[in-house]
Amino acid sequence: VESLAVEVEPDSWRRYQGEGGEARWLQPDLAATISTLDYEDRWFVEVDCGTESLPTLLRKCHQYERYRASGSEQHRHGAFPLVLWVFTHQRQDEAIERLARLRTAVQRTSGLTPPLYRYATTDTVTSTVAQQVDDQAGEPTQTGGSDGLGDHP
């Protein structure tokens, strides 16, 4: 890893134009970029503290889909970041349960792109990001495929 850049709220927020031309905001908790000599791996991070309902989390996923469809991020950076959901709870079993429920709901919900999302608990966030970085090692710099996800699987 050559560099790590992190933006926290409100610097991580992205303004874009909605389908009807109205101004909209995507408000991730964090935006991060991990760079090496060969690639750039970009992330939007959502931290779930267990206070929002599953429908609310799915609405946030749909916001990411609308922002991705706008093409704004891809135009600026060549590819769309992955969205990492980090589940923080006092009890690890509760975090794992919420993670599993959201993952299943994303896979079953029309209009969502499951490969866009990654999931972790506070105990697994480092290994989740490291796995993505390892998967990208040695591959060409992301150029943004037709799905706007670059080289991400």
Side-chain angles (χ1 to χ4, degrees):
V1 173
E2 295 292 317
S3 68
L4 171 66
V6 177
E7 297 173 315
V8 296
E9 293 183 287
D11 294 333
S12 61
W13 296 358
R14 304 293 197 265
R15 186 175 191 267
Y16 68 103
Q17 194 171 52
E19 292 176 9
E22 73 283 4
R24 291 195 172 187
W25 287 91
L26 178 73
Q27 298 177 324
D29 296 322
L30 183 79
T33 304
I34 301 169
S35 300
T36 71
L37 292 175
D38 298 321
Y39 70 93
E40 185 175 87
D41 205 20
R42 300 178 57 253
W43 300 84
F44 286 129
V45 179
E46 287 289 340
V47 178
D48 174 71
C49 298
T51 58
E52 295 177 318
S53 69
L54 184 59
T56 298
L57 301 183
L58 288 172
R59 277 194 298 277
K60 286 185 177 185
C61 290
H62 281 288
Q63 289 173 341
Y64 280 101
E65 299 285 346
R66 285 190 296 273
Y67 180 56
R68 185 170 72 97
S70 78
S72 298
E73 198 77 12
Q74 299 91 313
H75 179 72
R76 287 197 333 236
H77 300 286
F80 195 83
L82 291 175
V83 179
L84 176 62
W85 284 91
V86 180
F87 294 84
T88 63
H89 298 279
Q90 291 180 350
R91 292 183 41 196
Q92 181 71 358
D93 59 330
E94 289 179 16
I96 292 168
E97 182 181 326
R98 279 184 68 84
L99 180 156
R101 283 196 321 239
L102 180 61
R103 179 183 305 175
T104 298
V106 165
Q107 291 170 346
R108 293 180 177 173
T109 301
S110 177
L112 295 182
T113 308
L116 178 62
Y117 304 95
R118 299 293 186 274
Y119 311 89
T121 64
T122 52
D123 291 344
T124 64
V125 67
T126 302
S127 62
T128 300
V129 171
Q131 178 64 46
Q132 185 67 34
V133 170
D134 289 346
D135 289 349
Q136 294 294 323
E139 293 184 13
T141 301
Q142 294 179 20
T143 57
S146 61
D147 64 359
L149 294 175
D151 293 328
H152 296 298

